[in-house]
Amino acid sequence: QKEVEQNSGPLSVPEGAIASLNCTYSDRGSQSFFWYRQYSGKSPELIMSIYSNGDKEDGRFTAQLNKASQYVSLLIRDSQPSDSATYLCAVFNQAGTALIFGKGTTLSVSS
Amino acid sequence: ETGVTQSPTHLIKTRGQQVTLRCSSQSGHNTVSWYQQALGQGPQFIFQYYREEENGRGNFPPRFSGLQFPNYSSELNVNALELDDSALYLCASAGVDNEQFFGPGTRLTVL
């Protein structure tokens, strides 16, 4: 059974701080990795994709991938109260048809 | 560009009934995937359709079935509803880059 693991949280950070969200996956053959943000009662929203080892930056978000350690992370700089949400890590299966999701990490940013 | 849409928004059914959920893909997307998200969990892959053919299936029983139409819209049908089928049902469409974008979801309650 292919798995994606995340700490459920809640992760609490003050406004302006860096939030660090972590994810590990079990399928060493996985090639595509995604972070989705999900506000309470809403559907997941794609915020980052990463396919190669290293860092990928988009605005206040940085995704980091280490395939050797089977580890993906998301850093949110200058955290805002509007960043308070559940962050879902997702990995494609090797066929590239199904996203396998973690249970999500709940982030709370206090002002 | 039109995003992914789903209908209905909410639905209440009783055990043993049948339900049909509908999804319209984002413009230019020819792949549609369906996911089930129980409360407090990450989405679980049900199946994917590509050019009107089922292209992958998760660990769901045959009473979960689907269709994709020539305009790339899709339906999810669930027969013989069970209490555990109560969940948020999410449709996601993808284009050539295979990044999946979710619709707003249909909240199904089975009584």
Side-chain angles (χ1 to χ4, degrees), chain B residues 26-32 50 93-101:
Chain B
Q26 183 168 316
S27 176
H29 287 182
N30 55 18
T31 300
V32 174
Y50 172 69
S93 72
V96 293
D97 60 7
N98 217 16
E99 291 187 348
Q100 297 194 4
F101 294 89

Side-chain angles (χ1 to χ4, degrees), chain B residues 61-81:
Chain B
R63 60 188 184 85
F64 286 78
S65 62
L67 283 173
Q68 187 182 29
F69 300 101
N71 66 354
Y72 303 128
S73 65
S74 178
E75 287 183 354
L76 164 65
N77 298 290
V78 187
N79 293 323
L81 284 167

Side-chain angles (χ1 to χ4, degrees), chain A residues 6-29:
Chain A
Q6 298 180 253
N7 289 326
S8 60
L11 173 65
S12 297
V13 301
E15 184 175 358
I18 295 175
S20 178
L21 304 160
N22 305 313
C23 170
T24 59
Y25 60 94
S26 63
D27 186 355
R28 188 169 287 279

